[in-house]
Amino acid sequence: MAENTYNKVVNFINKHHMIESGELVAVGVSGGADSVCLLHLLWRMSKEMPFKLLAVHVDHSVREDSAQDAAYVEQLCSELDIPFYLQKVDMNGYAKERGLSAEEAGRQLRYTAYNEALSKYRQKEEICKIAVAHNANDRAETMLFHIFRGSGLKGFSSIRPVRGEVIRPVLCLEREEIEQYLAEQRLQYCHDSTNEEDEYTRNKIRHHILPYAEQEICRGAVTHMGELADILTETEDYLEKQTQEIYGRCVKEIYFGETLSDENITGGRIRRIYIQCGRLSEEAPAMYKRVLLACMERLTPHRKDITGQHIADLVKLMMSSGSKELSLPYGIRAYKEYEQLILCHGTDAEEFRDVGKEGMDKSYKIEPPTEISVPHEGEFAFTVLDNNTVFCEKQQNIPENRYTKWFDYDKITTSLVLRTRKQGDYLTIDEALHTKSVKQYMIDEKIPKTRRNNIHILADGAHILWIPGYRISERYKVDESTKRILQVQLRGGYYGGTN
């Protein structure tokens, strides 16, 4: 039986490419049955395939006899000639300080200890893995736990055999197989009294629900749940790939130091996320919900506080009309501006609303040739040209460029000013010289409300020559009678481009 168990684990490790020759594997060893079995199996395997082992024991300082567990693991490692690393922590104090459950605090502290134990090896550029002793019963218990909590597909997939550098070699074994292996190998192990208590939710599932399912509902329930977890993992991996493809089409991340006009994302800390609502809403509900969840995950330190209701609220906001807002976990704010859904942290949301306010009351008198730098808007360059062969005689042959515009300089009747909008500002919108207020134009063009008062526009009194990024006034267009041309270029900033 022991040989069958060993071969089963070796095949499972090879199937999932958990360990390669020459790697260093840090094994989390509590001293309990699962971890002792894991350590012994990997020790045997290391004799056949050369890789190094390091045992890591974390004393959580919860039980009075915890030092005995550490002593036993150290003795076992000495017998097997495996390096031993001990880390003592205050799990309850850590949990209280950070508002965590004892279970979550213990998990974080253990992985911190694993990484500390491996730090000096990583500095030498050794390839390291972390082996933990989750078994098939743990996987089934975790699946039930997530089902009861109303988790999504990722939660139903339960514990994965491999997650990054974390491997779970005995995930293929049921607890009964582990105990039988230890008995045949005459290996002792420690008994953690807290595992017998029903204080923790997982223990209730372990002691009452799963045994009842095995005995009264279906023999082999743990095995069947493991098979289902494998199917769901494959499904989740496929859907995640599709999610990332849709994310790339419908979402733009803005990092600190970047603007919407930047084409190349350099990485770093995400400042805001822009979602194209119309494009995303064309996808199936299952997919656009996954994309919205992915957006939340990009801005949050943990996923556990993001519920289905939060995603439902985001969907409702995405499908709504007009401009609306929503508060989400971790201080995230979501707000809808026409066809864009914007996610950012609350402090950045206020800063974004205030972009340009330091220059809102500042007007820039323009006397070409000159260059003006407007905070957040970009660099404006003003040049006067003679109307020669630069342009054809016919007006319609003037080049089209969103960020470079040309005007009849002699049609300007007052001082040329670059400023934010004022009441009474208007544009000439057609050849018949009909006008429209700038306010109404911005509404019609769906310029975000948070941006309207911050855009610096080019004005001749109340008559607006140009709203950067949008249109120019018909009144100032170049025609065959134009003698001098005012060229205006805008580079960089929120609306700026590269010419």
Side-chain angles (χ1 to χ4, degrees):
M1 178 64 183
E3 287 304 307
N4 290 339
T5 300
Y6 173 72
N7 292 330
K8 184 177 182 179
V9 171
V10 170
N11 291 334
F12 188 69
I13 289 172
N14 292 333
K15 175 184 176 181
H16 294 282
H17 309 287
M18 293 184 181
I19 303 173
E20 301 294 339
S21 178
E23 294 180 341
L24 172 64
V25 181
V27 187
V29 188
S30 67
D34 301 340
S35 62
V36 170
C37 179
L38 169 64
L39 183 67
H40 194 266
L41 288 166
L42 292 181
W43 172 75
R44 289 182 60 183
M45 187 175 175
S46 69
K47 304 303 180 183
E48 300 177 4
M49 183 177 75
F51 62 87
K52 293 180 288 185
L53 287 174
L54 168 66
V56 181
H57 178 82
V58 180
D59 183 347
H60 296 91
S61 303
V62 175
R63 295 178 291 111
E64 293 182 359
D65 59 349
S66 62
Q68 298 176 17
D69 295 353
Y72 169 71
V73 176
E74 186 173 14
Q75 178 187 344
L76 177 63
C77 290
S78 177
E79 294 172 0
L80 299 176
D81 194 23
I82 298 172
F84 172 74
Y85 179 91
L86 172 64
Q87 179 75 278
K88 188 169 183 177
V89 298
D90 178 11
M91 185 183 78
N92 289 337
Y94 182 90
K96 184 177 180 181
E97 180 183 339
R98 289 163 175 77
L100 301 172
S101 66
E103 189 176 25
E104 176 61 19
R107 189 191 70 82
Q108 290 186 18
L109 288 168
R110 286 193 296 276
Y111 279 100
T112 298
Y114 301 151
N115 286 308
E116 288 179 359
L118 290 172
S119 60
K120 67 178 181 180
Y121 300 98
R122 290 189 176 121
Q123 290 174 1
K124 299 176 184 178
E125 297 185 353
E126 292 194 44
I127 299 175
C128 302
K129 300 289 180 62
I130 298 171
V132 291
H134 292 114
N135 59 45
N137 292 69
D138 294 323
R139 194 182 200 188
E141 292 158 11
T142 300
M143 178 183 288
L144 289 174
F145 179 76
H146 286 302
I147 289 173
F148 297 151
R149 289 183 72 243
S151 178
L153 186 59
K154 185 176 289 188
F156 297 161
S157 302
S158 192
I159 303 172
R160 288 173 173 255
V162 178
R163 179 177 57 82
E165 64 178 14
V166 178
I167 60 174
R168 299 179 171 91
V170 295
L171 196 63
C172 59
L173 300 181
E174 293 187 27
R175 192 163 287 125
E176 184 178 345
E177 293 176 279
I178 289 172
E179 292 176 355
Q180 188 169 349
Y181 177 87
L182 293 173
E184 292 183 17
Q185 295 294 313
R186 298 182 180 180
L187 289 167
Q188 301 297 315
Y189 57 90
C190 304
H191 294 272
D192 186 344
S193 58
T194 61
N195 288 334
E196 305 304 319
E197 301 170 356
D198 278 348
E199 181 179 351
Y200 302 117
T201 303
R202 290 181 184 275
N203 283 1
K204 295 174 183 176
I205 295 174
R206 177 177 301 173
H207 298 152
H208 305 290
I209 298 175
L210 201 54
Y212 184 86
E214 282 276 0
Q215 297 167 15
E216 304 295 336
I217 298 177
C218 178
R219 294 295 298 177
V222 170
T223 300
H224 299 325
M225 293 178 73
E227 293 168 350
L228 175 60
D230 289 336
I231 294 171
L232 294 177
T233 297
E234 293 173 353
T235 305
E236 169 63 23
D237 289 344
Y238 172 77
L239 291 176
E240 181 59 23
K241 182 179 179 181
Q242 301 304 310
T243 300
Q244 291 306 314
E245 290 181 2
I246 298 171
Y247 191 99
R249 296 197 304 269
C250 302
V251 179
K252 183 173 179 64
E253 298 174 348
I254 302 299
Y255 293 79
F256 280 89
E258 294 182 328
T259 69
L260 270 174
S261 60
D262 291 328
E263 292 297 327
N264 298 316
I265 294 179
T266 57
R269 191 156 63 94
I270 295 176
R271 187 171 191 176
R272 289 187 294 275
I273 290 179
Y274 291 81
I275 304 164
Q276 300 302 317
C277 298
R279 187 177 298 177
L280 182 59
S281 62
E282 293 175 356
E283 303 293 335
M287 297 313 300
Y288 64 60
K289 290 177 183 177
R290 290 180 65 93
V291 171
L292 292 174
L293 176 58
C295 291
M296 286 289 293
E297 289 178 328
R298 296 287 285 163
L299 289 171
T300 58
H302 307 291
R303 177 177 176 168
K304 68 184 185 69
D305 289 331
I306 305 172
T307 67
Q309 186 57 52
H310 294 131
I311 302 304
D313 291 341
L314 272 176
V315 171
K316 184 177 179 180
L317 183 62
M318 181 179 74
M319 299 298 186
S320 67
S321 57
S323 300
K324 297 179 181 178
E325 297 186 24
L326 178 65
S327 295
L328 295 161
Y330 302 104
I332 293 174
R333 299 292 295 276
Y335 50 101
K336 175 82 176 292
E337 288 187 338
Y338 296 111
E339 290 304 310
Q340 283 194 131
L341 183 62
I342 305 168
L343 299 181
C344 61
H345 290 282
T347 53
D348 187 54
E350 295 305 317
E351 182 181 342
F352 178 56
R353 294 166 183 277
D354 294 340
V355 164
K357 280 192 176 181
E358 65 269 29
M360 278 183 61
D361 297 329
K362 186 173 181 180
S363 296
Y364 302 86
K365 187 174 180 180
I366 307 304
E367 295 181 356
T370 187
E371 289 191 6
I372 302 293
S373 178
V374 180
H376 303 288
E377 295 297 303
E379 300 282 341
F380 289 83
F382 298 86
T383 309
V384 176
L385 309 170
D386 289 329
N387 188 12
N388 47 30
T389 55
V390 173
F391 299 122
C392 299
E393 290 185 359
K394 294 185 178 180
Q395 177 183 344
Q396 60 265 31
N397 290 331
I398 294 175
E400 289 292 334
N401 192 307
R402 187 176 182 186
Y403 300 107
T404 298
K405 297 297 181 184
W406 296 269
F407 306 91
D408 190 324
Y409 189 54
D410 295 310
K411 291 179 181 178
I412 298 170
T413 58
T414 65
S415 296
L416 191 62
V417 177
L418 190 63
R419 59 170 175 78
T420 51
R421 66 174 181 162
K422 296 180 179 179
Q423 187 173 359
D425 286 345
Y426 66 94
L427 288 158
T428 303
I429 59 174
D430 56 31
E431 293 181 357
L433 302 183
H434 294 117
T435 63
K436 178 183 288 190
S437 71
V438 168
K439 177 180 179 180
Q440 188 58 51
Y441 174 79
M442 288 184 168
I443 293 173
D444 294 344
E445 289 299 310
K446 297 184 177 180
I447 298 176
K449 191 175 181 180
T450 55
R451 298 293 305 160
R452 293 174 196 167
N453 289 332
N454 302 332
I455 301 174
H456 278 71
I457 55 182
L458 191 58
D460 176 14
H463 200 157
I464 305 306
L465 283 74
W466 182 31
I467 300 176
Y470 297 90
R471 70 161 298 157
I472 68 172
S473 177
E474 290 284 337
R475 171 72 177 79
Y476 298 92
K477 279 190 171 181
V478 174
D479 57 30
E480 62 272 10
S481 65
T482 299
K483 295 180 179 179
R484 293 184 298 171
I485 296 173
L486 174 66
Q487 176 181 281
V488 186
Q489 292 178 298
L490 173 57
R491 297 183 294 271
Y494 186 86
Y495 286 105
T498 301
N499 298 289

